[in-house]
């Protein structure tokens, strides 16, 4: 990713096997493609602060720091609680983000890039047993076949009800299930996409008529091609349409994304987030890194448009956000656990 300009991300469909950890993907939905294969996150590390349910995988961004040897491979992982009632205005207690990094020479991956060969054997279970349903660390297994693992009793029951009861003794069911989203996973996980990141063209930033662009964005939202922003009703949108100069921040946001309304991510390490509104009480209080006590810096943000691609945001009581801004250790320190928790700031569109 470029550090000279903002990079913007889009989603594209891709065969799941090409999103395997050995290819160091950026992706949305499905199971996480873990980087460090022996320090995988467990359910206890991913509980929602509101309901105590286990969060599910939202997306990951492969973002190496070339200036450091121990960050040759580096990925940020984002998880979210799927319970819509836990999604509260300008509050990120239902979201967690983790940073993981490795040097080029490590115990998991080849020093040279892997060829895109579907038949290549890569024994994931050598390092950590992973939940057949969601891909988290799995401490238990099916007592009958002893071939599939689960992070919780809840996911074991879900898998049993969704087909494992009939195929439990059929060993052919268990090949490399790491990158395969099974039927119970489809009912629980978000739709899987590859995340493509490219540099934003400077021409995309030129001034445009704010009223005209607002109408374009409203049309896209109605067609479910841009973020739905469920917290905003029709009367509030009408107020924004009539009084855009009163919220210069929203005006800037609107103009900046209008030419690429399907962007789901913006990456700008050390830059400034593209906030969605100036009429927000969200406090941007970013604590220092809890592992090295160095400052954190803004790295990337997740856009509201992503909601449409993971099939949420159009129902009552579903998860929603304006923007999710991710802040990470400025030094990308190597202290602490394999997966180091970072900071996410959630800002919603309010009047």
């Amino acid at each position: 990713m470029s550090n000279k300009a903002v990079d913007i991300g889009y989603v594209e469909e891709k065969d799941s096997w090409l999103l395997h950890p050995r290819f160091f993907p950026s992706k949305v939905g499905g199971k996480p493609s873990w980087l460090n294969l022996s320090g995988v996150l467990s359910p206890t590390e991913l509980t929602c602060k509101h309901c105590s349910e286990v969060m599910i995988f939202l997306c990951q961004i492969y973002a190496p720091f070339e200036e450091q040897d121990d960050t040759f491979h580096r990925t940020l992982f984002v998880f979210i609680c799927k319970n819509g009632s836990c999604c509260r205005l300008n509050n990120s207690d239902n979201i967690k983000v983790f940073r993981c990094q490795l040097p080029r020479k490590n115990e998991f991956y080849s020093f040279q890039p892997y060829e895109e060969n579907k038949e290549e054997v890569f024994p994931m279970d050598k390092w950590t047993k992973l939940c057949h349903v969601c891909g988290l660390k799995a401490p238990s297994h099916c007592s009958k076949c002893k071939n599939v693992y689960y992070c919780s009793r809840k996911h074991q029951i879900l898998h049993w009800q969704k087909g494992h009861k009939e195929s439990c003794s059929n060993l052919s069911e268990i090949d490399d299930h790491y990158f395969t989203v099974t039927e119970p996973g489809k009912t629980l996980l978000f739709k899987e996409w590859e995340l493509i990141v490219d540099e934003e063209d400077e021409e995309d930033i030129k001034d445009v008529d704010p009223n005209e662009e607002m109408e374009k964005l409203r049309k896209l939202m109605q067609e479910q091609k841009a973020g739905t922003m469920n917290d905003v009703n029709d009367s509030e949108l009408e107020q924004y349409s009539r009084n855009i100069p009163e919220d210069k921040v929203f005006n800037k946001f609107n103009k900046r994304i209008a030419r690429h309304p399907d962007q789901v991510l913006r990456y700008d390490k050390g830059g400034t987030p593209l906030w969605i509104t100036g009429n927000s009480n969200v406090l941007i209080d970013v604590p220092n890194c809890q592992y090295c006590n160095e400052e954190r810096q803004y790295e990337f943000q997740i856009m509201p448009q992503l909601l449409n691609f993971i099939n949420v945001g159009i129902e009552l009581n579903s998860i929603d956000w304006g923007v999710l801004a991710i802040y990470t250790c400025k030094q990308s320190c190597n202290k602490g656990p394999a997966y180091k928790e970072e900071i996410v700031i959630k800002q919603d569109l309010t009047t």
Side-chain angles (χ1 to χ4, degrees):
M1 295 183 179
S2 170
N3 294 328
K4 297 179 181 179
V6 176
D7 291 329
I8 51 180
Y10 309 89
V11 293
E12 290 185 2
E13 293 194 47
K14 195 164 190 175
D15 290 342
S16 289
W17 71 269
L18 289 168
L19 300 176
H20 190 278
R22 69 182 183 273
F23 301 125
F24 310 108
S26 294
K27 66 187 289 284
V28 169
K31 300 176 184 178
S33 288
W34 301 110
L35 184 59
N36 184 311
L37 303 180
S38 64
V40 171
L41 293 170
S42 65
T44 56
E45 297 171 281
L46 289 168
T47 54
C48 174
K49 293 181 181 179
H50 294 305
C51 69
S52 298
E53 289 291 322
V54 178
M55 299 177 183
I56 64 170
F57 173 70
L58 177 62
C59 66
Q60 65 187 73
I61 315 300
Y62 182 67
F65 279 11
E66 298 176 357
E67 58 268 31
Q68 296 176 205
D69 292 338
D70 59 359
T71 56
F72 184 88
H73 298 299
R74 180 176 176 275
T75 302
L76 286 306
F77 296 82
V78 183
F79 296 82
I80 190 167
C81 178
K82 207 173 182 181
N83 185 349
S85 64
C86 297
C87 190
R88 302 177 186 181
L89 198 64
N90 297 325
N91 182 296
S92 61
D93 285 346
N94 64 326
I95 307 164
K96 287 188 176 182
V97 57
F98 293 85
R99 166 175 56 91
C100 185
Q101 57 200 43
L102 293 171
R104 183 172 183 180
K105 186 177 181 180
N106 61 77
E107 60 182 312
F108 310 113
Y109 307 104
S110 166
F111 191 80
Q112 299 298 333
Y114 291 90
E115 294 184 3
E116 292 186 352
N117 179 3
K118 186 177 182 179
E119 306 305 320
E120 182 178 2
V121 177
F122 194 97
M124 294 290 298
D125 286 351
K126 172 184 177 182
W127 307 107
T128 303
K129 305 301 183 183
L130 301 171
C131 180
H132 193 78
V133 176
C134 69
L136 298 186
K137 187 175 182 179
S140 61
H141 58 74
C142 173
S143 59
K144 185 177 181 181
C145 71
K146 298 180 174 58
N147 282 290
V148 284
Y149 290 79
Y150 303 101
C151 69
S152 63
R153 178 70 175 166
K154 183 178 180 179
H155 286 186
Q156 183 174 3
I157 293 172
L158 179 62
H159 188 212
W160 186 260
Q161 294 173 338
K162 293 290 185 177
H164 188 58
K165 179 179 180 180
E166 288 75 24
S167 57
C168 181
S169 59
N170 182 8
L171 297 181
S172 64
E173 177 196 22
I174 314 303
D175 39 26
D176 189 350
H177 62 262
Y178 180 81
F179 49 78
T180 301
V181 177
T182 56
E183 191 60 35
K186 289 179 182 178
T187 65
L188 177 71
L189 306 178
F190 297 123
K191 183 175 179 180
E192 186 176 55
W193 302 83
E194 181 182 23
L195 186 57
I196 306 295
V197 181
D198 200 3
E199 187 174 307
E200 182 182 50
D201 193 324
E202 285 296 321
E203 291 184 1
D204 299 333
I205 307 173
K206 65 183 181 180
D207 289 336
V208 293
D209 185 320
N211 291 298
E212 179 182 344
E213 296 308 317
M214 180 62 196
E215 289 304 315
K216 288 181 182 179
L217 183 58
R218 291 181 66 192
K219 183 178 180 181
L220 287 164
M221 290 164 65
Q222 291 169 358
E223 295 173 353
Q224 299 177 14
K225 294 180 181 178
T228 54
M229 307 175 196
N230 275 350
D231 289 332
V232 186
N233 59 38
D234 289 341
S235 63
E236 289 174 320
L237 283 174
E238 191 63 33
Q239 178 180 336
Y240 271 107
S241 183
R242 294 194 309 267
N243 303 304
I244 284 178
E246 294 183 5
D247 190 350
K248 295 180 180 179
V249 175
F250 180 76
N251 186 21
K252 177 183 177 182
F253 178 90
N254 175 30
K255 291 192 293 183
R256 192 73 180 260
I257 70 169
R259 292 180 178 273
H260 294 286
D262 55 346
Q263 61 182 280
V264 300
L265 176 137
R266 298 178 67 83
Y267 185 93
D268 186 18
K269 184 181 72 174
T272 304
L274 182 64
W275 297 116
I276 196 169
T277 180
N279 298 331
S280 172
N281 293 324
V282 62
L283 297 176
I284 312 303
D285 181 17
V286 180
N288 286 357
C289 174
Q290 67 265 45
Y291 308 106
C292 70
N293 203 36
E294 292 292 333
E295 290 183 359
R296 282 188 168 96
Q297 66 181 357
Y298 166 73
E299 187 161 351
F300 71 94
Q301 71 188 80
I302 299 170
M303 306 294 280
Q305 289 88 329
L306 181 59
L307 290 162
N308 293 298
F309 294 100
I310 57 175
N311 300 327
V312 299
I314 57 175
E315 302 172 355
L316 290 175
N317 199 33
S318 67
I319 61 172
D320 200 5
W321 61 77
V323 295
L324 303 177
I326 311 301
Y327 290 78
T328 60
C329 175
K330 194 171 184 178
Q331 302 301 321
S332 199
C333 71
N334 212 21
K335 298 180 180 180
Y339 289 82
K340 310 172 207 313
E341 188 169 359
E342 297 287 10
I343 298 296
V344 55
I345 302 293
K346 178 175 180 280
Q347 189 193 46
D348 293 298
L349 184 57
T350 58
T351 53

